[in-house]
C-alpha cells in the first residue's frame, strides 16, 4: 500500500520542513545525458526505464548517488578528507533535496578465498558468539571459531615500568591466542596437489626457459633470482640437478641471500607459487594465469578439516547437537529451523537476531544458500540480494535506496517477493530508486521516469515522467512494449540428436538423468537455486564442441575496450595506416601512438598506498589517449580518437562509406549490433559493462563460428523489453545455421519461444535438484504442473 504524507488542516500553515518532498535535478550532463531536469518524489518508489545505454545509470548512479556520497564525504574533518578519495562533482547545474544514498548494485562480492556468505552478512560473526557462549565443551572466545584467525603461541618475559624508575618483571612461560583456522589449509577449506610437469620442463635449464609459469621469463628477474642465487647452475638442465640442488630449487625455505647485486629473499619455487598464485581464488586471477592454475593444480577438500576451514577444537563444541561447521554447511532454511530450537536463555538475544537474519535470506529468495558458500561464486543478482539483507531490518528511515535491476536471476515466482521487499523499504519512509526492465516491477512504481528515445548519443533525454497508467498510454518505446506477450510457436523444431547427462550430482542435483536435445533451442529453467547452472555448467561445459558464454567478468587492463577485445581495432589500424602511408603502430594507444604523459591511458592514476587511487584526466591529451601528431591523420574525415568515440551503430555506418570502407570491421560491428550492443562506444572501458553486456560481447565474438553447441546463461539480463524480440530472432538464426542453443533463462518470452524446455525443481536447494518437466512449451502450459508452467500459462494467456 502506498504511503501518504499527512496533509495539514485547511487553513493551517505548512511547516517549512515539509516543503522538501522532492529530489530536484537540473541540467544533468553525465555521460550521454542531455541537460536532463527532473523532480523525483521522496518516500516513494520510482522506477527508471529505457533501453540499455539510454542514460538510466548515468542519472541515478553517476549523478544522484554520486553527489550524495560526495556531500557526505565533505562532512568529515579536513584531516580525514586528506586520506579519502577526492570525488569530482557530477556534471549537473543544480541538485536539491538529496538524502543519504545507499547503493545496492550488482558488483560481484570480493573473490577473496576466505570470503563466504556468512562473513559478508555478519551471520558467521553472530554464530561465533553463539558457540563461544553456549558451546559444549567451552573452547574459547569468538575468535576460536574464526577460520580467518590462526591459533598463536608466545613465550618469554614481560617487564612493566613502575613509578620511581623501577620495573616489575613477570615470567610468561606461554601465552596462547586461540583461533579457529585449520592449520593445514590455512582457512581456505581446500588444498592443492601440484603437477610438477606443468610447472617445470626438466629437459631445459633455467636460462632456456625451464620454468613454465606465466611471468617467469628466462631472461626476467624472477628467474634470475634462481639462476644467480649461488645455489643453482642456470645453464644446467633441471633433470641433471643433484638432490641438494633440486631441493634448493623447488622447496628451500625462505631466507636472505646476496644476489643480483642486492640483498634479497630467496624461496623455493613451489612454496613461492603456493603463496603468490595457488593460495588465491582462481576467479580473481587473470585468464592466462587461471588457465595455468587449472592445468597445474587439482583442488580438493582439505582432509584435515574436511573442507570446513576450522581446526579440531572449533569443531568439537556443539550447540543443540550441531557444531559450527555443520551449521555453516546447512541450507539456510534448515539453519533457520535449527536456531529456533536453541533454548538457552543466556543467548536469547543472539538467537533472535540470527533467526531474523535467516528469515531475511528466505524472504529475499536466498534460502537455498549456505553460509559457507564462497562469496566469489555468487552471481551478480545473488550478490545484490545478499547486500540487500543488511538493510531489510535497518532502523534507518528517510534515506535513498538505489537498486540496479534487483530482479536479475529471479524466477517469475520470486519477483513478487522482491517487489514486496521494495515496497516495505518505501513504506518505512525511504525513497527507493530502481533501475529496471521487468514489467512486473515497473507495475508497482509510484513514479516512472522513462529515458531515451534510443541508446548512447540517441538517448539521454526524458521521454516520459508520471505514473504507470500514463506510461502505458505514452508513445515511447517502453510504453509500447510494456504489455508485450510472446505467444507459443505454432510449430517447433524436431531434435536431431541428444547430449546425454547421466547421474549428475553436482551441488544439489540428485542423480539427474536427462537428454539435452541437439539442433533446437532448449531453455533450462526453474526457480533460483533449483540446479539449472549445476546441471548445464557442471555437465556440458568442457565437452568437445560446447561453448559456454556466461556473465563472468572480462579480465583485462584499464586499456581494454570493445574495439580491442573483439579484434576490431586491428583492421581499423591497418586502414588508417594505408590511408596515411604510416605504420599501424601509430594508431595503437598501447604502442607508438600513445600519449607520452599518460602512456595511452587517457587518465593519470595516482596510487596512494593504502588509500583509494585518485584518477584524473590527462591534461596533455585531454583523455583522448593519443599524441597530437597522430590525431592529424584521418580516415573518412575522422581521426582514430574520433572513431573510438563512435557507437557500434555509428561505426557500422561509418566503415561502410566510400572513404572509410573496412569490410572486416563491419563484420565484427554487425555481430555486436545483432546482439543488442549497438549503443556501446568502441573505446568504452570494459570494466563499465554490466554482466549482460559482457555476455553479449562474448556472444558477438562467437557469431562467426560454425556448428557446435552454444550455452547462454540468462542472456536477457539488462535487456529492454523491446530488445528481447531481437534476441529471440538472433537465437533463431543461430539454430537455423546449424547450432544447438541451450539457454538458462527465467524470462517467459524466451521460454515461450523455445523448442524444448527442461524445468528443474520443484523448489530450491535440497528441495530442488530434479527434472520436473521435459517437453515442449505447449505441453508445459497445458499441464500447469510446475511453478514455471503456471507462470508461463499466465504469461501467454492460456
Amino acid at each position: 500500500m502506498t504511503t501518504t504524507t499527512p496533509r495539514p488542516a485547511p487553513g493551517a500553515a505548512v511547516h517549512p520542513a515539509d516543503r522538501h518532498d522532492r529530489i530536484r535535478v537540473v541540467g544533468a550532463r553525465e555521460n550521454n545525458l542531455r541537460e536532463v531536469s527532473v523532480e523525483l518524489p521522496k518516500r516513494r518508489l520510482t522506477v527508471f526505464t529505457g533501453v540499455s545505454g539510454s542514460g538510466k545509470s548515468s542519472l541515478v548512479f553517476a549523478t544522484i548517488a554520486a553527489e550524495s556520497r560526495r556531500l557526505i564525504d565533505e562532512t568529515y574533518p579536513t584531516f580525514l578528507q586528506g586520506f579519502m578519495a577526492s570525488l569530482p562533482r557530477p556534471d549537473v547545474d543544480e541538485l536539491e533535496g538529496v538524502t543519504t544514498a545507499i547503493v545496492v548494485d550488482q558488483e560481484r562480492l570480493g573473490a577473496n578465498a576466505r570470503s563466504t556468505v556468512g562473513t559478508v552478512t555478519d551471520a558467521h560473526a553472530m554464530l561465533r558468539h553463539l558457540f563461544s557462549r553456549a558451546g559444549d565443551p567451552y573452547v574459547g572466545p569468538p575468535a576460536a571459531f574464526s577460520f580467518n584467525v590462526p591459533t598463536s603461541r608466545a613465550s618469554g618475559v614481560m617487564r612493566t615500568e613502575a613509578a620511581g624508575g623501577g620495573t616489575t618483571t613477570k615470567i610468561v612461560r606461554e601465552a596462547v591466542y586461540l583461533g579457529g583456522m585449520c592449520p593445514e589449509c590455512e582457512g581456505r577449506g581446500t588444498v592443492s596437489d601440484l603437477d610438477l610437469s606443468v610447472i617445470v620442463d626438466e629437459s631445459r635449464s633455467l636460462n632456456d626457459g625451464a620454468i613454465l609459469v606465466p611471468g617467469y621469463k628466462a631472461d626476467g628477474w624472477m628467474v634470475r633470482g634462481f639462476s644467480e642465487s649461488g645455489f643453482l647452475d642456470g645453464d644446467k638442465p633441471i633433470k641433471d640437478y643433484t638432490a641438494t640442488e633440486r631441493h634448493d630449487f623447488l622447496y628451500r625455505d625462505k631466507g636472505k641471500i646476496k644476489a643480483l647485486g642486492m640483498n634479497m629473499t630467496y624461496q623455493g619455487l613451489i612454496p613461492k607459487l603456493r603463496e603468490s598464485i595457488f593460495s588465491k581464488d582462481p576467479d580473481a586471477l587473470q585468464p592466462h594465469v587461471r588457465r595455468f592454475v587449472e592445468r597445474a593444480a587439482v583442488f580438493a577438500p582439505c582432509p584435515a578439516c574436511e573442507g570446513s576451514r576450522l581446526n579440531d577444537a572449533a569443531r568439537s563444541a556443539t550447540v543443540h547437537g550441531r557444531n559450527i561447521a555443520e551449521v555453516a554447511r546447512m541450507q539456510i532454511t534448515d539453519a533457520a529451523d535449527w536456531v529456533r530450537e536453541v533454548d538457552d536463555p543466556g543467548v536469547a538475544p543472539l538467537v533472535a537476531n540470527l533467526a531474523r537474519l535467516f528469515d531475511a535470506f528466505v524472504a529475499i529468495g536466498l534460502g537455498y544458500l549456505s553460509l559457507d558458500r564462497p562469496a566469489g561464486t555468487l552471481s551478480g543478482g545473488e550478490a545484490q540480494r545478499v547486500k540487500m539483507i543488511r538493510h531489510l531490518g535497518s532502523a534507518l528511515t528517510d534515506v535513498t535506496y538505489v537498486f540496479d535491476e534487483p530482479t536479475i536471476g529471479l524466477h517469475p515466482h520470486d519477483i513478487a517477493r522482491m517487489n514486496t521487499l521494495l515496497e516495505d523499504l518505501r513504506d518505512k519512509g525511504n525513497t527507493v530508486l530502481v533501475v529496471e526492465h521487468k514489467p512486473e516491477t515497473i507495475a508497482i512504481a509510484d513514479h516512472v521516469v522513462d529515458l531515451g528515445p534510443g541508446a548512447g548519443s540517441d538517448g539521454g533525454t526524458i521521454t516520459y515522467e508520471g505514473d504507470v497508467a500514463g506510461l502505458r498510454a505514452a508513445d515511447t518505446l517502453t510504453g509500447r512494449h510494456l504489455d508485450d506477450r510472446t505467444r507459443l510457436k505454432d510449430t517447433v523444431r524436431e531434435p536431431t540428436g541428444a547430449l546425454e547427462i547421466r547421474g549428475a550430482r553436482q551441488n544439489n542435483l540428485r542423480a539427474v538423468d536427462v537428454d539435452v536435445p541437439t539442433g533446437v533451442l532448449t531453455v533450462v529453467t526453474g526457480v533460483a537455486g533449483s540446479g539449472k547452472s549445476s546441471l548445464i555448467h557442471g555437465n556440458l561445459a568442457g565437452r568437445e564442441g560446447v561453448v559456454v558464454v556466461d556473465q563472468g567478468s572480462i579480465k583485462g587492463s584499464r586499456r581494454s575496450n570493445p574495439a580491442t577485445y573483439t579484434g576490431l581495432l586491428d583492421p581499423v589500424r591497418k586502414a588508417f595506416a594505408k590511408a596515411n602511408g604510416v605504420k599501424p603502430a601509430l594508431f595503437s594507444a598501447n604502442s607508438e601512438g600513445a600519449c607520452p604523459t599518460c602512456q595511452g591511458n587517457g587518465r593519470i592514476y595516482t596510487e596512494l598506498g593504502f588509500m583509494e587511487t585518485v584518477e584524473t584526466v590527462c591534461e596533455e591529451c585531454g583523455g583522448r589517449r593519443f599524441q597530437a601528431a597522430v590525431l592529424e591523420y584521418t580516415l573518412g574525415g575522422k581521426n582514430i580518437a574520433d572513431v573510438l568515440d563512435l557507437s557500434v551503430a555509428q561505426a557500422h555506418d561509418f566503415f561502410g562509406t566510400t572513404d572509410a570502407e573496412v569490410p572486416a570491421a563491419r563484420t565484427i560491428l554487425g555481430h555486436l549490433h545483432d546482439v543488442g550492443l549497438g549503443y556501446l562506444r568502441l573505446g568504452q572501458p570494459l570494466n563499465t559493462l554490466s554482466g549482460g553486456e559482457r555476455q553479449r560481447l562474448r556472444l558477438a565474438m562467437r557469431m562467426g563460428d560454425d556448428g557446435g553447441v552454444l550455452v547462454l546463461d540468462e542472456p536477457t539480463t539488462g535487456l529492454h523489453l523491446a530488445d528481447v524480440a531481437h534476441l529471440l530472432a538472433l537465437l533463431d538464426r543461430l539454430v537455423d545455421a546449424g547450432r544447438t542453443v541451450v539457454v538458462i533463462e527465467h524470462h517467459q518470452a524466451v521460454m515461450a519461444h523455445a523448442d524444448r524446455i527442461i524445468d528443474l525443481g520443484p523448489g530450491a536447494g535440497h528441495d530442488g535438484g530434479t527434472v520436473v518437466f521435459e517437453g515442449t512449451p505447449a505441453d508445459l502450459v497445458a499441464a500447469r504442473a510446475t511453478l514455471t508452467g503456471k507462470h508461463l500459462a499466465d504469461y501467454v494467456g492460456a
Side-chain angles (χ1 to χ4, degrees), residues 214 282-295 553-557 565 698:
D283 292 333
L285 302 173
Q286 289 186 318
H288 69 291
V289 180
R290 185 167 65 249
R291 287 192 293 270
F292 165 76
V293 168
E294 290 169 350
R295 294 196 314 271
S553 59
I554 297 174
K555 305 293 183 183
S557 69
Y565 184 76
R698 287 193 180 98

Side-chain angles (χ1 to χ4, degrees), residues 260-274:
L260 303 177
M262 60 181 175
N263 293 321
M264 62 175 287
T265 300
Y266 181 90
Q267 187 178 22
L269 180 63
I270 298 303
K272 182 191 286 284
L273 293 179
R274 286 191 183 278

Side-chain angles (χ1 to χ4, degrees), residues 475-509:
D475 188 24
T476 70
L477 199 59
T478 304
R480 292 195 297 270
H481 290 273
L482 189 58
D483 294 318
D484 277 1
R485 295 293 183 268
T486 300
R487 63 186 184 86
L488 299 174
K489 293 194 293 189
D490 296 327
T491 59
V492 295
R493 305 177 183 89
E494 289 300 319
T496 58
L499 299 170
E500 292 186 354
I501 296 176
R502 296 291 179 264
R505 292 182 174 82
Q506 291 87 353
N507 300 322
N508 67 328
L509 296 178

Side-chain angles (χ1 to χ4, degrees), residues 38 43 224 273 419 656 703 708:
V38 66
R43 294 174 289 280
R224 289 176 59 202
L273 293 179
N419 287 347
M703 291 281 289

Side-chain angles (χ1 to χ4, degrees), residues 2 39 150 226 322 343 358 403 424 449 497 566 591 616 643 681 715:
T2 303
E39 289 190 1
F226 288 102
R322 300 277 188 177
D343 55 4
F358 291 155
F403 294 97
D424 287 346
V449 178
T566 60
S591 186
T616 55
V643 168
R681 287 186 301 106

Side-chain angles (χ1 to χ4, degrees), residues 189-437:
T190 59
V191 292
S192 58
D193 293 325
L194 302 184
D195 184 350
L196 199 58
S197 66
V198 177
I199 298 172
V200 177
D201 182 350
E202 300 207 11
S203 66
R204 302 185 195 175
S205 67
L206 289 171
N207 294 335
D208 287 335
I211 301 179
L212 307 177
V213 182
Y216 283 72
K217 297 181 180 179
D219 57 350
W221 68 270
M222 297 184 78
V223 173
R224 289 176 59 202
F226 288 102
S227 59
E228 299 183 24
S229 64
F231 302 127
L232 310 170
D233 182 350
D235 295 319
K236 185 178 180 180
I238 308 301
K239 63 183 175 62
D240 295 335
Y241 277 8
T242 64
T244 301
E245 289 175 323
R246 189 176 184 83
H247 176 270
D248 289 341
F249 172 45
L250 294 175
Y251 304 109
R252 188 181 179 95
D253 291 335
K254 189 180 293 186
K256 295 291 185 181
I257 65 169
K258 183 88 171 178
L260 303 177
M262 60 181 175
N263 293 321
M264 62 175 287
T265 300
Y266 181 90
Q267 187 178 22
L269 180 63
I270 298 303
K272 182 191 286 284
L273 293 179
R274 286 191 183 278
E275 286 185 12
S276 62
I277 296 179
F278 293 104
S279 65
K280 295 181 179 178
D281 189 311
D283 292 333
L285 302 173
Q286 289 186 318
H288 69 291
V289 180
R290 185 167 65 249
R291 287 192 293 270
F292 165 76
V293 168
E294 290 169 350
R295 294 196 314 271
V298 178
F299 291 91
C302 172
C305 65
E306 299 176 342
S308 69
R309 305 167 179 254
L310 295 162
N311 57 29
D312 293 338
R315 289 182 286 126
S316 67
T318 61
V319 173
H320 200 70
R322 300 277 188 177
N323 65 36
I324 190 170
E326 291 171 334
V327 175
R329 280 202 186 105
M330 296 169 74
Q331 184 170 306
I332 289 175
T333 52
D334 295 335
D337 295 335
W338 167 84
V339 77
R340 285 187 168 85
E341 296 173 358
V342 179
D343 55 4
D344 186 339
V347 291
L350 270 173
V351 169
N353 286 333
L354 267 171
R356 279 195 293 269
L357 180 60
F358 291 155
D359 288 344
F361 272 100
V362 177
I364 213 164
L366 295 177
Y368 60 88
L369 296 178
S370 61
L371 297 181
D372 67 351
R373 168 88 172 260
T377 65
L378 298 179
S379 68
E382 287 173 330
Q384 181 170 211
R385 293 195 289 281
V386 165
K387 295 173 192 173
M388 279 187 72
I389 287 172
R390 70 186 63 179
H391 304 299
L392 296 182
S394 173
L396 289 173
T397 61
D398 242 334
V399 299
T400 299
Y401 286 98
V402 183
F403 294 97
D404 187 9
E405 296 187 54
T407 61
I408 280 179
L410 285 183
H411 188 271
H413 172 69
D414 297 315
I415 291 179
R417 259 192 301 193
M418 175 59 69
N419 287 347
T420 300
L421 294 173
L422 295 174
E423 290 173 321
D424 287 346
L425 284 173
R426 175 204 62 194
D427 293 347
K428 286 175 60 178
N430 298 304
T431 303
V432 181
L433 308 181
V434 183
V435 174
E436 188 55 83
H437 293 296

Side-chain angles (χ1 to χ4, degrees), residues 733-747:
R733 291 201 299 274
L734 290 170
V735 176
D736 293 340
R739 307 291 291 267
T740 293
V741 180
V742 180
V743 181
I744 301 170
E745 187 56 80
H746 292 122
H747 202 295

